[in-house]
Amino acid sequence: MKNSFFKRSDQDLFKGTQTKLTMKYSGLLLLFLLLFIVVVYTLLYVVILRDQHRELEGLTRQETRIISDYLAESARNELRGLSSQELVLAGVDQFFYYVVDSNGNLVMGSETMPHMREELLALVAGWVPQRNQIREETLEVTFRERKLGGEQIDNPPASVNVRLMIDGSPLFYNDRFIGMIYIGKDISFAYQLFDWLLIVLIGLAILFAGVAILMSYMMSKKAMEPISTAFNRQKEFVGDASHELRTPLSVMLSSIDALEMTDGVEEDPFARKLLKNMKSEVKRMTGLVSDLLMLARADSGVVKQSHELIDLHVEARNVIESLTPHAEANRIVFHLHAPDEINVIGDRERIKQLLYILLDNAVKYSPDGGNVALTLSKEEREWRISVKDEGIGIHPDEQVRIFYRFYRSDKSRTRALGGHGLGLSIAKWIVDIHKGTISVESELNKGSTFTVNIPLDQVVSKARK
């Protein structure tokens, strides 16, 4: 069965990077869009309200002049009896006007809602506005009449909030204060306009947000194309180079073995040491090439995965036996905790390789005289491998990255131990093709515990196909 995990992994990596780029591009575009909407809304808000201010101030000045001219023409020095005269004080959207004498008594006035006169008079009672001072008030208007702002209302609601802009001006006769005129203008339509404007701007924002995200996606996709191409070429090169290197390395290893059997090598310490070092390096290179070739095959989707019944306990003992000489050289002791028989279904060779990688890493990074514990268990829905060491530990910031290819947390130490940063990447691939998970818990200078959990049902069902 062909496996395409690494192909999916690469796709996920590129998709994740493209998604991040898309989010950054669209975030910038949306930020500018938001600033544009705020600026436009604020400017319109200020301009419209200032226009209403100017209209109300002009209306107040006009009606103040009408009253002043009337008093001058009739040679009246007081406002009493003014209501009986034929004065027309009315303006567009004028909700009310009141003229009061110097004692605050109402002389004349009119309002759109006569039943609200007391409430309206209470708003302006005793108010002497400063220069260019205009008030805004919100009133809950009840509809006893079918009229608002001079317009007929066919089906009025029980009540509605009306926004009023109120201005006032003192009245003088021969430089003597004789009263005040107050004018209220209905600006509810302006705030309705603001509400509709906000809805329109939000609608446009949603529309342009979609456009911005689409543009960002196209830009990020275009930016990722050369990176994806270069990455694919790199994978092809690694696969080709690994394949081509296997034969010369095998020849070199065979030649070194032949040289070791020649006469005189055993008696010459320098030649024996030289051949030993050469053999060790060739083996290390062979292991690296084998790992690279396997990853290259996995990338291309040509790695076959078999499913068979495995006694995990037996396989673990075999791996421990193969690593025992290496562990004993560093006085490291293996401890196996497992049932006498633990049967699971999986790829035998890959599971053995997984055990080897985890145990070999534990030995490499454990101090001389340390302990490495391998625990195997099987539960109702999954089986588990746990490898615990007493090594140097892994920094929390590096615990996610240790499963990346060629990543080494301590590069100098890893090189000294012969590592090349592919082991845990291969281990994760093996776990992933079995639909499992691998995690690490670690504390610096106290050791690490790698835990593998592989579900039983998914592997079994996959094996039956």
Side-chain angles (χ1 to χ4, degrees), residues 200-228:
V200 171
L201 289 176
I202 290 175
L204 289 174
I206 294 172
L207 176 62
F208 282 108
V211 174
I213 293 172
L214 179 61
M215 290 177 58
S216 301
Y217 175 78
M218 299 302 294
M219 292 168 62
S220 61
K221 185 178 181 180
K222 193 72 175 176
M224 290 300 299
E225 284 179 358
I227 300 174
S228 178

Side-chain angles (χ1 to χ4, degrees), residues 120-153:
L120 294 171
L121 285 172
L123 287 177
V124 298
W127 178 47
V128 179
Q130 302 296 321
R131 183 178 179 84
N132 297 324
Q133 182 186 4
I134 292 179
R135 288 169 54 184
E136 286 192 26
E137 300 287 347
T138 301
L139 291 179
E140 184 177 359
V141 176
T142 55
F143 288 88
R144 295 183 184 176
E145 299 181 7
R146 298 176 179 269
K147 204 175 182 184
L148 177 61
E151 295 183 4
Q152 192 73 19
I153 301 176

Side-chain angles (χ1 to χ4, degrees), residues 4-267:
S4 58
F5 163 72
F6 273 110
K7 189 176 291 185
R8 293 197 310 272
S9 179
D10 295 338
Q11 292 173 353
D12 292 342
L13 174 63
F14 287 120
K15 283 183 178 179
T17 305
Q18 184 178 342
T19 300
K20 289 179 181 178
L21 287 174
T22 301
M23 291 176 64
K24 287 182 179 179
Y25 291 152
S26 58
L28 287 173
L29 291 173
L30 291 175
L31 178 61
F32 284 119
L33 179 61
L34 179 63
L35 289 174
F36 173 76
I37 289 173
V38 170
V39 170
V40 169
Y41 185 81
T42 303
L43 284 175
L44 289 174
Y45 185 91
V46 171
V47 168
I48 292 174
L49 285 186
R50 282 188 176 179
D51 184 61
Q52 295 300 312
H53 279 203
R54 286 194 297 269
E55 285 187 11
L56 181 59
E57 288 174 347
L59 184 62
T60 303
R61 287 194 298 269
Q62 177 185 348
E63 298 190 0
T64 301
R65 187 169 56 252
I66 290 173
I67 294 176
S68 298
D69 291 346
Y70 175 79
L71 292 176
E73 291 175 1
S74 60
R76 299 174 66 94
N77 60 1
E78 60 181 11
L79 296 173
R80 188 179 305 168
L82 192 63
S83 59
S84 61
Q85 308 302 319
E86 294 182 355
L87 285 178
V88 178
L89 301 178
V92 179
D93 294 327
Q94 180 175 289
F95 195 79
F96 71 86
Y97 81 90
Y98 296 125
V99 178
V100 297
D101 60 20
S102 57
N103 296 320
N105 299 315
L106 179 64
V107 176
M108 63 179 295
S110 178
E111 57 279 302
T112 303
M113 299 287 182
H115 64 278
M116 297 187 66
R117 171 169 287 191
E118 291 184 4
E119 187 176 354
L120 294 171
L121 285 172
L123 287 177
V124 298
W127 178 47
V128 179
Q130 302 296 321
R131 183 178 179 84
N132 297 324
Q133 182 186 4
I134 292 179
R135 288 169 54 184
E136 286 192 26
E137 300 287 347
T138 301
L139 291 179
E140 184 177 359
V141 176
T142 55
F143 288 88
R144 295 183 184 176
E145 299 181 7
R146 298 176 179 269
K147 204 175 182 184
L148 177 61
E151 295 183 4
Q152 192 73 19
I153 301 176
D154 295 330
N155 297 306
S159 64
V160 69
N161 288 331
V162 174
R163 301 294 293 263
L164 296 180
M165 187 178 287
I166 304 174
D167 191 15
S169 178
L171 298 172
F172 294 93
Y173 183 79
N174 293 333
D175 296 329
R176 183 172 65 88
F177 175 72
I178 59 173
M180 291 286 300
I181 179 172
Y182 298 106
I183 298 176
K185 179 178 174 62
D186 182 5
I187 58 169
S188 301
F189 76 95
Y191 283 93
Q192 290 175 0
L193 178 62
F194 295 147
D195 292 340
W196 280 106
L197 178 62
L198 185 60
I199 292 172
V200 171
L201 289 176
I202 290 175
L204 289 174
I206 294 172
L207 176 62
F208 282 108
V211 174
I213 293 172
L214 179 61
M215 290 177 58
S216 301
Y217 175 78
M218 299 302 294
M219 292 168 62
S220 61
K221 185 178 181 180
K222 193 72 175 176
M224 290 300 299
E225 284 179 358
I227 300 174
S228 178
T229 302
F231 185 77
N232 289 330
R233 288 177 179 173
Q234 178 188 353
K235 289 194 299 183
E236 291 174 2
F237 169 76
V238 169
D240 294 342
S242 301
H243 182 74
E244 294 298 327
L245 284 171
R246 291 189 73 184
T247 300
L249 286 172
S250 298
V251 172
M252 289 175 64
L253 188 60
S254 300
S255 300
I256 292 172
D257 290 337
L259 284 173
E260 286 179 333
M261 294 185 291
T262 58
D263 296 335
V265 172
E266 289 294 330
E267 289 76 15

Side-chain angles (χ1 to χ4, degrees), residues 285-401:
M285 285 296 297
T286 302
L288 173 60
V289 169
S290 297
D291 289 344
L292 287 173
L293 185 59
M294 191 193 70
L295 291 176
R297 287 174 175 172
D299 288 339
S300 61
V302 297
V303 176
K304 293 184 178 180
Q305 182 186 357
S306 64
H307 290 85
E308 55 187 304
L309 189 63
I310 307 168
D311 188 340
L312 202 57
H313 186 275
V314 173
E315 301 301 334
R317 282 204 172 277
N318 292 338
V319 173
I320 288 174
E321 286 179 9
S322 67
L323 286 171
T324 296
H326 177 44
E328 288 178 346
N330 297 299
R331 295 182 288 111
I332 294 174
V333 179
F334 284 116
H335 301 276
L336 176 60
H337 307 286
D340 293 335
E341 186 177 281
I342 178 168
N343 294 319
V344 298
I345 292 178
D347 189 321
R348 183 186 301 274
E349 293 302 318
R350 302 304 173 204
I351 297 300
K352 286 173 63 177
Q353 189 177 13
L354 173 64
L355 290 168
Y356 187 92
I357 291 170
L358 295 178
L359 291 172
D360 184 53
N361 269 5
V363 171
K364 283 180 181 178
Y365 292 99
S366 290
D368 292 349
N371 296 282
V372 173
L374 171 61
T375 303
L376 307 174
S377 62
K378 183 178 179 182
E379 299 178 1
E380 184 179 352
R381 295 186 177 181
E382 64 183 9
W383 52 275
R384 181 178 295 113
I385 299 173
S386 177
V387 177
K388 183 178 181 181
D389 63 50
E390 298 174 349
I392 59 175
I394 306 168
H395 194 278
D397 295 339
E398 298 176 334
Q399 290 179 16
V400 176
R401 296 196 290 268

